[in-house]
Amino acid sequence: GRNLLPFSGIMTNSDEQYGGLSGPDAQYVRLVSSDGHEFIIKKELALTSGTIKAMLSGPGQYAEHENNEVNFREIPSHVLQKVCQYFTYKVRYTNSATEIPEFQIAPEVALELLMAANFLDC
Amino acid sequence: EVVAFPGLFTMSLADTISAMSRASAPAAGGNRMRIRAFPTAMDEAYVEQTLTMLQGAIKEIQRKNNGGLSFEELYRNAYTMVLHKHGERLYKALSAVVRDHLKGPIRKKVSGAMDDRFLETLNSSWAEHTTAMVMIRDIFMYMDRVYVEQQKCEPVYSLGIGIFRDEIVRQDRVSEHLRKVLLEMIAEERAGVTVKWSGIKSACAMLVSLGLDNKQVYEVDFEAPFLKETAEYYKAASQKFLAENCASVYVKKVENCLSEETDRAMRYLDKDTKNKLLQVLENVLITQHMQTVVDMENSGLKAMIRDDKVAELRSLYLLLRRVPGGMNVMTASMSEYLRSIGEKLVDDVEGVGDEPADAAAAAQKKDPVRFIQELIDLKDRFDHFLKDAFENDGTFKNKIQSDFEFFFNKNKRSPEFLSLYIDDKLKKGQKCMNENEMESMLDRSMVLFRFLSEKDAFEKYYKQHVAKRLLLDKSISDDAEKQMITKLKTECGCQFTQRLENMFKDKEIWSTLNTNFKEFCNARPGVLQMDVAVRVLTAGIWPTQSAAPQCVLPDSCNDAFNHFKEYYTGAHNGRKITLNTLLGSADIKAIFYGATPNADELSQQESEPGPSHREPAPKRKEDHKILQVNTHTMILLMRFNIRPKFTFEQLKEDTQIPDRDLQRCLQSLSMGKASQRILVRRGKGKEIEAADEFSVNDSFTSKLTRIRIQNITNKSETEPERKETRSKIDEDRKHEVEAAIVRIMKARKTLQHNDLVVEVTEQLQSRFKPDPQLIKMRIESLIEREYIKRSDDNHRVYQYQA
């Protein structure tokens, strides 16, 4: 199923209405967890990860680049969700003058999250 | 309790989590959280499989077939390998694939294209290789971050570059051939052929990259040979330019070369090459030839100055400014030119150099006013060059200044002449100048003043001339005089202008004085037989001749003076006044009786002593004139009331007027213009002799009723006058040197001889340059008079004596 994250924005059904999942100027990317959950987030946020950045903006014409979609074979959805939240948190509060709240991490997810962060270089 | 650390955005998510768990597990030691692999091990087969898969993928990438590959899969596999401690195998495998590819197909491609396709082939191979390496690096990013970091070996991308360098560029003489091709192309472009310069640009960029962290590959393989060839090319070209063209055209050609080559460098060479290139060019085109260009006959610097070619001078200046020594070459040449003109000007003025052979040659010599004017004009001219061609460059400014100082001071009479110039401008009868013109003229005079090394001599002359102007009422305006004094004061301090200001103070009293005297006279009618205007000069302030002559005044004048004396000493108790006949003037009434046609009557006149204005014979008509003369002339003429004829000797005895003065007066009266010939002279020689006879010229006529008799004076001093002034100056200098010595010794108490000389010179340099000999003599004199003494242990050291 699709998880639409509160930070990600608009809720609709079709790709076309996003106006931005296909083509090189696409505003959104689709991140798919190992258990099939699709996370559609703004591309700008996903580029927080060095790995995703290389994948999507490097010179190579990889499959991911073509379809604007990344399949993470080893990252489960409960971890990938947290990662997406982190992307949002990071972009929101970098160079911000306002008070920065804590980024809450439940201890049971910490280790897997750490592995994912390591993998994703973020 | 889980606590995240907000605000720590320098840390990544990974570090944040590490820090967090470290905080909640205080017992954990160590600094870095190490990720250990999950318990599942990789077996050998799986490792081999992964390696093969990755190598295959790389090959696809190298063949530009990478569409459709999944990045995530490749990345994850490489990641897993490193995680399971197979980093070394992975690294080696990667190396091997890249090397094989380059050693094989690529090398073949490149060495097979050693013809006109060479550059294109090499460039495209390089471009493809770098693109592939970026992609490979991305896939192996984790290995770079962790394995490479730990092992301190070459990161993936640099590894790839190094392999290209070793397997392609450094093989089969590729780098030699590359150099050859590049230099050929550049030579062609210089010859005017259009070349595909983008190829050169790519090749240069490649060479730069091949050096990894420095530009050595580029520098050795291309840049150094390029610069060498450029130097040779332009060395030959410049000889040719120089032989075929005049200076300004050469300058233009060089400007064009520089701009063309700069353009080239910016278009397709590495950015650091530009400056090296310019240095080479500047050396070959400018430094090597600048002396020749500047010295070129008829088109070099001197010709440009002579012909007022400002734009050309400016271009030359801007060009030569680029190189060390350029400015000196130019200023040396300019200085030569300026000095030769200046010296010629200085030699040409009257009173300098050998006595002119005859009147014609004497007439050629300039008068002082014109001399100064020409110097001012020359300075103006060079100021204009300085501003418009040389951008107010300090080197040029200083050179011009020192040149002017040099030749201006070569003429020992410059201080006097400068003062005469200003005198000329401040005298009545000049064309009217408005305020701005006056200010500008005075400022220009000050510019020359600053060049003088003998400012004290100027002071003396200036005082004399001001005095004359004031006394003879010749000054054009008090304001202008005061303006000049202010300027001198600003330049030299109060001491310089003290006396001048005092002279003005005296002058300001004159009109009041005369009014009061008139009242005094009115109260005693009948005493004074003529109109008298008196000027009182405070002694010591006004420059006077060493001894005011005591001439014999006519009685009426004597009475008038005594009357004034009575008034003045009455009004000012304790003061003493004496009459100075050198500076006064008089209006006298003269009656001329017309020419006598009868020779008998003439002889009759000669034999009878008696006044010339006895009862006139009927046919004579009276011609009344008023003559404006100076005091001495007045005394002279009044003698002719007693007798009609006098010899020079007689006049001298009767009047006691000094010889020189008497001669001058008589010359003016008898040998000047017809409109001034009051007297008739009977004498032989050019000069007036003792036995010459003088009588009234009754046939004197003039349209004017009031005639001013001008004295034939030199504006400038005669030789004896100059000697006198010079000796006065020397006398003053002695005192100034002594004053300086005493001042310095009082402050220092003890001083060595050489140090004293240096300090004295420094103190006095704004007025004149004291001769060390003079200083020595003055020291001796002061020792004699016990102001200072020699130290007992060292006779080169002096001590102050209170």
Side-chain angles (χ1 to χ4, degrees):
Chain A
R2 278 172 200 207
N3 271 5
L4 297 163
L5 298 164
F7 296 104
S8 301
I10 314 146
M11 301 159 77
T12 78
N13 286 323
S14 72
D15 285 354
E16 285 69 34
Q17 276 181 297
Y18 277 108
L21 242 187
S22 32
D25 303 328
Q27 268 201 316
Y28 290 84
V29 294
R30 184 184 283 123
L31 305 180
V32 184
S33 67
S34 55
D35 47 331
H37 278 261
E38 294 180 5
F39 299 83
I40 298 175
I41 67 169
K42 275 220 168 116
K43 194 171 183 181
E44 175 204 346
L45 303 178
L47 295 180
T48 306
S49 153
T51 311
I52 296 178
K53 187 168 176 195
M55 224 181 292
L56 298 178
S57 19
Q61 303 289 73
Y62 300 107
E64 287 87 351
H65 196 146
E66 295 276 323
N67 307 323
N68 243 353
E69 168 184 311
V70 187
N71 286 283
F72 293 108
R73 298 268 155 72
E74 291 185 2
I75 304 182
S77 55
H78 66 283
V79 176
L80 191 52
Q81 176 179 12
K82 206 67 193 167
V83 170
C84 291
Q85 284 174 2
Y86 176 75
F87 289 159
T88 315
Y89 172 80
K90 169 102 194 243
V91 171
R92 165 72 181 85
Y93 291 113
T94 298
N95 296 325
S96 163
T98 63
E99 204 188 306
I100 303 172
E102 289 178 20
F103 183 70
Q104 303 283 5
I105 304 172
E108 51 275 15
V109 108
L111 183 59
E112 285 172 288
L113 189 58
L114 181 58
M115 298 289 294
N118 194 34
F119 180 82
L120 290 170
D121 186 24
C122 68
Chain B
E1 248 337 290
V2 174
V3 178
F5 291 82
L8 296 172
F9 274 128
T10 46
M11 295 205 304
S12 61
L13 175 58
D15 287 341
T16 309
I17 304 171
S18 306
M20 171 192 106
S21 51
R22 220 181 309 142
S24 57
N31 280 335
R32 262 193 85 76
M33 176 71 73
R34 280 240 148 75
I35 308 294
R36 288 179 302 166
F38 283 140
T40 51
M42 281 177 88
D43 64 13
E44 181 56 27
Y46 187 52
V47 169
E48 277 295 335
Q49 194 186 26
T50 311
L51 280 176
T52 312
M53 188 268 278
L54 285 171
Q55 282 180 323
I58 293 173
K59 287 196 188 127
E60 291 305 302
I61 290 172
Q62 285 170 330
R63 275 179 240 143
K64 303 197 273 199
N65 281 344
N66 53 288
L69 288 177
S70 163
F71 182 92
E72 191 270 345
E73 191 181 341
L74 299 172
Y75 177 85
R76 187 169 28 89
N77 276 297
Y79 167 84
T80 311
M81 289 283 282
V82 175
L83 213 55
H84 285 78
K85 300 220 196 291
H86 298 299
E88 192 183 335
R89 281 176 76 172
L90 187 61
Y91 191 86
K92 283 208 167 93
L94 165 61
S95 253
V97 174
V98 172
R99 195 175 296 273
D100 287 343
H101 178 73
L102 291 180
K103 258 168 110 156
I106 302 300
R107 188 186 291 180
K108 190 158 164 223
K109 188 158 77 148
V110 168
S111 52
M114 287 302 201
D115 47 22
D116 57 348
R117 291 169 303 144
F118 174 73
L119 193 59
E120 211 187 301
T121 312
L122 183 62
N123 278 337
S124 65
S125 304
W126 167 256
E128 283 167 9
H129 177 68
T130 48
T131 307
M133 285 313 304
V134 167
M135 288 166 57
I136 295 168
R137 177 198 65 200
D138 286 344
I139 293 172
F140 286 83
M141 215 174 11
Y142 192 75
M143 186 180 76
D144 257 351
R145 256 170 64 209
V146 175
Y147 173 77
V148 165
E149 177 64 36
Q150 283 171 7
Q151 299 298 321
K152 308 277 186 250
C153 53
E154 202 68 48
V156 170
Y157 187 79
S158 315
L159 178 68
I161 304 304
I163 296 176
F164 189 92
R165 179 192 59 217
D166 296 336
E167 299 300 339
I168 303 293
V169 177
R170 294 257 177 272
Q171 300 287 338
D172 302 328
R173 316 176 66 171
V174 164
S175 74
E176 263 180 57
H177 195 69
L178 176 62
R179 168 169 61 250
K180 179 163 161 286
V181 167
L182 292 177
L183 291 180
E184 266 173 20
M185 284 174 81
I186 293 175
E188 269 183 30
E189 201 186 48
R190 283 187 179 142
V193 179
T194 318
V195 300
K196 238 181 159 174
W197 53 265
S198 58
I200 308 180
K201 186 172 178 164
S202 305
C204 285
M206 174 189 82
L207 289 172
V208 171
S209 305
L210 285 179
L212 291 172
D213 56 353
N214 63 57
K215 295 191 183 174
Q216 261 200 319
V217 175
Y218 171 76
E219 285 168 8
V220 169
D221 281 15
F222 169 74
E223 196 184 56
F226 165 69
L227 291 176
K228 184 155 167 281
E229 205 168 271
T230 303
E232 279 167 20
Y233 174 80
Y234 278 109
K235 194 158 159 218
S238 65
Q239 306 274 25
K240 193 162 171 288
F241 288 169
L242 212 51
E244 293 176 356
N245 294 292
C246 71
S248 53
V249 173
Y250 181 80
V251 167
K252 260 209 175 41
K253 274 197 188 288
V254 171
E255 284 172 3
N256 288 343
C257 283
L258 291 174
S259 104
E260 196 190 296
E261 291 291 331
T262 307
D263 207 45
R264 168 169 302 123
M266 297 206 310
R267 242 187 309 144
Y268 54 75
L269 301 179
D270 180 67
K271 63 176 169 50
D272 287 343
T273 305
K274 184 180 96 163
N275 287 338
K276 296 183 195 176
L277 177 61
L278 281 177
Q279 256 200 326
V280 166
L281 290 173
E282 282 169 4
N283 181 37
V284 171
L285 292 170
I286 306 178
T287 309
Q288 297 300 326
H289 297 301
M290 57 190 181
Q291 192 66 60
T292 314
V293 172
V294 164
D295 290 343
M296 233 187 234
E297 281 274 340
N298 278 323
S299 66
L301 182 102
K302 290 181 185 165
M304 290 180 193
I305 295 183
R306 179 193 71 205
D307 299 337
D308 223 14
K309 297 257 161 87
V310 178
E312 291 182 11
L313 280 170
R314 194 181 149 77
S315 302
L316 183 62
Y317 168 76
L318 290 174
L319 195 70
L320 261 50
R321 192 168 65 170
R322 290 165 168 255
V323 299
M327 296 290 85
N328 288 341
V329 169
M330 276 187 89
T331 52
S333 179
M334 175 190 77
S335 175
E336 253 180 49
Y337 182 80
L338 180 53
R339 282 194 184 198
S340 77
I341 293 194
E343 282 181 318
K344 188 160 180 305
L345 272 185
V346 164
D347 285 339
D348 238 4
V349 75
E350 72 184 34
V352 176
D354 308 321
E355 280 305 305
D358 52 33
Q364 293 285 22
K365 290 260 182 183
K366 282 194 287 291
D367 71 64
V369 175
R370 222 179 102 204
F371 163 64
I372 300 288
Q373 186 63 57
E374 287 184 356
L375 275 183
I376 287 181
D377 292 341
L378 183 63
K379 181 76 173 51
D380 269 352
R381 195 162 157 235
F382 272 78
D383 279 349
H384 147 72
F385 284 134
L386 184 62
K387 180 162 133 304
D388 296 334
F390 305 136
E391 295 198 348
N392 287 320
D393 186 299
T395 321
F396 284 78
K397 198 171 184 176
N398 292 340
K399 204 51 165 184
I400 293 175
Q401 201 162 310
S402 77
D403 287 341
F404 267 87
E405 278 172 10
F406 170 73
F407 52 74
F408 193 39
N409 287 305
K410 238 181 148 202
N411 180 355
K412 289 296 161 210
R413 297 186 70 180
S414 284
E416 187 198 337
F417 288 169
L418 182 57
S419 183
L420 280 174
Y421 174 79
I422 301 171
D423 181 61
D424 186 70
K425 298 295 173 217
L426 290 178
K427 268 208 295 235
K428 280 185 190 160
Q430 287 303 318
K431 137 176 127 98
C432 233
M433 279 195 255
N434 67 32
E435 246 180 70
N436 287 341
E437 289 172 344
M438 179 63 76
E439 176 96 35
S440 149
M441 182 277 295
L442 291 177
D443 280 336
R444 282 176 161 73
S445 311
M446 284 308 290
V447 168
L448 288 188
F449 173 75
R450 283 181 205 110
F451 293 143
L452 285 174
S453 59
E454 296 199 302
K455 295 189 170 74
D456 61 340
F458 174 85
E459 187 189 339
K460 226 178 195 58
Y461 285 110
Y462 193 70
K463 278 202 206 114
Q464 278 177 18
H465 296 149
V466 168
K468 238 195 249 174
R469 286 200 294 279
L470 292 181
L471 290 171
L472 299 177
D473 203 21
K474 282 216 178 121
S475 172
I476 213 172
S477 100
D478 271 5
D479 278 342
E481 296 278 354
K482 295 215 173 120
Q483 236 185 324
M484 185 63 192
I485 292 178
T486 311
K487 286 186 199 290
L488 286 170
K489 197 172 177 172
T490 315
E491 188 69 27
C492 305
C494 311
Q495 198 202 6
F496 200 90
T497 51
Q498 193 65 40
R499 295 234 199 104
L500 293 169
E501 291 179 328
N502 287 338
M503 280 196 256
F504 271 92
K505 281 205 194 104
D506 269 359
K507 176 182 181 225
E508 269 146 32
I509 305 179
W510 291 341
S511 61
T512 328
L513 201 61
N514 278 304
T515 317
N516 292 344
F517 180 55
K518 249 200 180 50
E519 281 176 18
F520 179 83
C521 292
N522 290 340
R524 294 157 187 66
V527 180
L528 211 53
Q529 287 169 15
M530 60 183 84
D531 256 331
V532 173
V534 186
R535 290 178 176 165
V536 178
L537 313 179
T538 311
I541 291 180
W542 295 74
T544 48
Q545 304 288 60
S546 4
Q550 291 306 309
C551 309
V552 178
L553 290 166
D555 289 337
S556 47
C557 300
N558 246 332
D559 291 342
F561 176 60
N562 288 331
H563 196 57
F564 179 81
K565 205 166 167 184
E566 205 187 309
Y567 155 72
Y568 191 81
T569 45
H572 303 273
N573 220 336
R575 290 194 194 174
K576 193 173 138 219
I577 49 172
T578 43
L579 188 66
N580 184 324
T581 53
L582 285 170
L583 302 163
S585 59
D587 289 355
I588 50 179
K589 266 199 228 158
I591 307 176
F592 296 91
Y593 294 97
T596 50
N598 206 325
D600 285 324
E601 282 196 77
L602 198 69
S603 54
Q604 251 187 344
Q605 273 181 39
E606 279 181 26
S607 48
E608 286 176 37
S612 62
H613 63 267
R614 54 192 170 108
E615 289 307 293
K619 58 175 131 174
R620 290 177 170 195
K621 69 166 176 47
E622 289 180 2
D623 200 4
H624 292 250
K625 297 285 184 212
I626 298 184
L627 305 175
Q628 292 175 304
V629 294
N630 65 28
T631 308
H632 287 177
T633 310
M634 177 265 291
I635 296 174
L636 259 188
L637 289 177
M638 294 295 278
R639 301 303 301 157
F640 287 91
N641 283 338
I642 303 174
R643 257 198 342 259
K645 256 197 293 181
F646 283 85
T647 61
F648 179 82
E649 201 57 46
Q650 286 170 331
L651 284 171
K652 189 165 148 200
E653 240 191 78
D654 289 352
T655 63
Q656 292 291 299
I657 296 175
D659 220 39
R660 200 176 55 216
D661 239 10
L662 186 56
Q663 285 214 11
R664 244 195 261 152
C665 293
L666 288 171
Q667 269 185 342
S668 316
L669 291 170
S670 63
M671 291 160 66
K673 294 193 272 202
S675 57
Q676 305 250 301
R677 290 224 191 129
I678 307 297
L679 296 180
V680 170
R681 168 190 173 234
R682 256 199 219 110
K684 308 252 181 49
K686 246 199 322 189
E687 297 295 322
I688 294 183
E689 323 233 323
D692 288 1
E693 281 188 344
F694 294 91
S695 51
V696 175
N697 178 11
D698 264 318
S699 44
F700 176 80
T701 53
S702 172
K703 289 181 290 196
L704 307 163
T705 316
R706 246 193 141 81
I707 303 152
R708 190 185 196 117
I709 303 297
Q710 309 279 25
N711 253 14
I712 302 175
T713 45
N714 293 335
K715 273 204 280 223
S716 56
E717 291 188 314
T718 57
E719 195 52 41
E721 283 174 339
R722 209 180 322 140
K723 284 215 176 68
E724 206 188 323
T725 312
R726 192 32 66 167
S727 72
K728 274 199 206 142
I729 293 174
D730 287 338
E731 199 54 41
D732 283 346
R733 283 183 181 176
K734 279 199 196 136
H735 294 307
E736 287 193 49
V737 169
E738 287 187 356
I741 294 173
V742 171
R743 232 180 358 252
I744 293 168
M745 288 308 298
K746 188 167 179 187
R748 309 300 217 97
K749 303 290 182 228
T750 308
L751 205 53
Q752 229 247 16
H753 176 85
N754 289 337
D755 295 332
L756 181 57
V757 171
V758 165
E759 282 216 32
V760 168
T761 311
E762 232 181 89
Q763 269 205 20
L764 295 173
Q765 71 180 6
S766 60
R767 289 182 59 72
F768 62 95
K769 288 200 178 76
D771 181 23
Q773 239 350 74
L774 171 66
I775 300 177
K776 187 157 183 274
M777 279 171 30
R778 290 298 100 212
I779 295 176
E780 299 292 332
S781 168
L782 285 171
I783 292 177
E784 252 175 66
R785 282 137 60 200
E786 298 192 357
Y787 280 88
I788 54 180
K789 68 172 192 203
R790 288 215 160 84
S791 151
D792 295 323
D793 0 288
N794 184 351
H795 79 284
R796 295 285 291 170
V797 172
Y798 304 108
Q799 285 170 345
Y800 180 67
Q801 277 190 289

